[in-house]
Amino acid sequence: GENVEQHPSTLSVQEGDSAVIKCTYSDSASNYFPWYKQELGKRPQLIIDIRSNVGEKKDQRIAVTLNKTAKHFSLHITETQPEDSAVYFCAASKNTNAGKSTFGDGTTLTVKP
Amino acid sequence: DAGVIQSPRHEVTEMGQEVTLRCKPISGHNSLFWYRQTMMRGLELLIYFNNNVPIDDSGMPEDRFSAKMPNASFSTLKIQPSEPRDSAVYFCASSLAGLAGSEGGYFGPGTRLTVT
């Protein structure tokens, strides 16, 4: 089955700096890669996603890149703010699997004011 | 749209009791997922349904756990009998999975289960 590895497990940055979280996946058939943000005590929320026919996608301060050849994808947050502090999960899925996503173990991001 | 609805939000029960968690997915979504989240094990997929049919229940930890989806708008996760190690937050999520590719899962608020 699919295996998703996520790094780093914790990340601390200064407000205004950029943050990058990286994930690798094992199943070359995976074609959909969502990212979730989970604030303390709350549910995971989808923040951005990318499909395998696209190399990069951007939404305001967040962007995701995908390298299908290398089977890795990354989340980039620019101009970080304290409210970006949360646990971020990457995931991988394929449309032949009824939408089932395999999640990474999560990255705890702390943005220091 | 109200999003994914779960009930109860909190459940405290004694060991040995039956626990039933409920979920109403987003209307129109055809896939439903049950997850369990703990500090030790992270986010675990327990079971998922597509078009009300269980597709993969390999994540269900033991026979004490069972899940049903009698129709497109309702699912239950039952634990009988419950044990202290079942204490966790249980999330239900739904998504639209189709030929165009998966859509991101939308999570419910979760049920925080405490078994004493």
Side-chain angles (χ1 to χ4, degrees):
Chain A
E2 174 68 277
N3 181 49
V4 176
E5 294 190 355
Q6 184 171 346
H7 300 280
S9 57
T10 61
L11 179 60
S12 182
V13 300
Q14 207 66 37
E15 182 178 1
D17 288 349
S18 294
V20 180
I21 301 170
K22 298 181 179 181
C23 290
T24 61
Y25 61 100
S26 61
D27 189 345
S28 57
S30 289
N31 57 4
Y32 177 70
F33 307 91
W35 285 87
Y36 294 85
K37 175 184 180 182
Q38 186 177 25
E39 297 176 0
L40 190 63
K42 298 192 176 180
R43 76 188 82 181
Q45 289 195 301
L46 178 69
I47 56 172
I48 194 168
D49 57 16
I50 190 167
R51 301 189 187 280
S52 58
N53 59 348
V54 176
E56 183 175 358
K57 184 176 179 180
K58 190 173 181 179
D59 183 3
Q60 298 183 342
R61 295 186 300 107
I62 60 174
V64 59
T65 59
L66 171 65
N67 184 326
K68 284 188 63 179
T69 303
K71 288 189 283 189
H72 67 70
F73 56 112
S74 301
L75 178 72
H76 304 252
I77 306 174
T78 59
E79 301 172 27
T80 53
Q81 302 168 2
E83 49 265 39
D84 295 330
S85 297
V87 179
Y88 291 81
F89 294 95
C90 64
S93 70
K94 50 190 177 185
N95 59 2
T96 56
N97 215 7
K100 172 190 171 184
S101 288
T102 300
F103 282 80
D105 289 337
T107 296
T108 300
L109 173 65
T110 302
V111 180
K112 299 178 182 177
Chain B
D1 195 327
V4 177
I5 299 173
Q6 290 186 248
S7 65
R9 295 291 306 277
H10 302 272
E11 178 79 30
V12 180
T13 190
E14 292 184 348
M15 182 175 63
Q17 297 297 306
E18 177 179 298
V19 175
T20 299
L21 311 181
R22 297 173 176 80
C23 175
K24 176 178 168 56
I26 292 173
S27 176
H29 281 187
N30 59 359
S31 289
L32 182 141
F33 309 83
W34 282 101
Y35 293 92
R36 178 173 68 177
Q37 187 174 41
T38 62
M39 288 293 292
M40 291 298 294
R41 294 187 297 268
L43 194 61
E44 303 173 276
L45 176 65
L46 301 177
I47 185 172
Y48 73 103
F49 298 82
N50 181 245
N51 295 324
N52 311 340
V53 176
I55 302 300
D56 184 353
D57 65 354
S58 60
M60 296 286 260
E62 301 169 33
D63 291 345
R64 297 185 297 106
F65 286 69
S66 63
K68 294 182 180 180
M69 191 165 186
N71 56 62
S73 58
F74 185 64
S75 177
T76 59
L77 177 67
K78 185 177 294 186
I79 308 173
Q80 167 63 19
S82 58
E83 296 183 3
R85 58 193 168 122
D86 301 331
S87 298
V89 179
Y90 290 81
F91 288 106
C92 174
S94 71
S95 72
L96 179 63
L99 293 176
S102 305
E103 298 291 337
Y106 292 86
F107 283 73
T111 295
R112 183 173 296 277
L113 173 65
T114 303
V115 183
T116 60

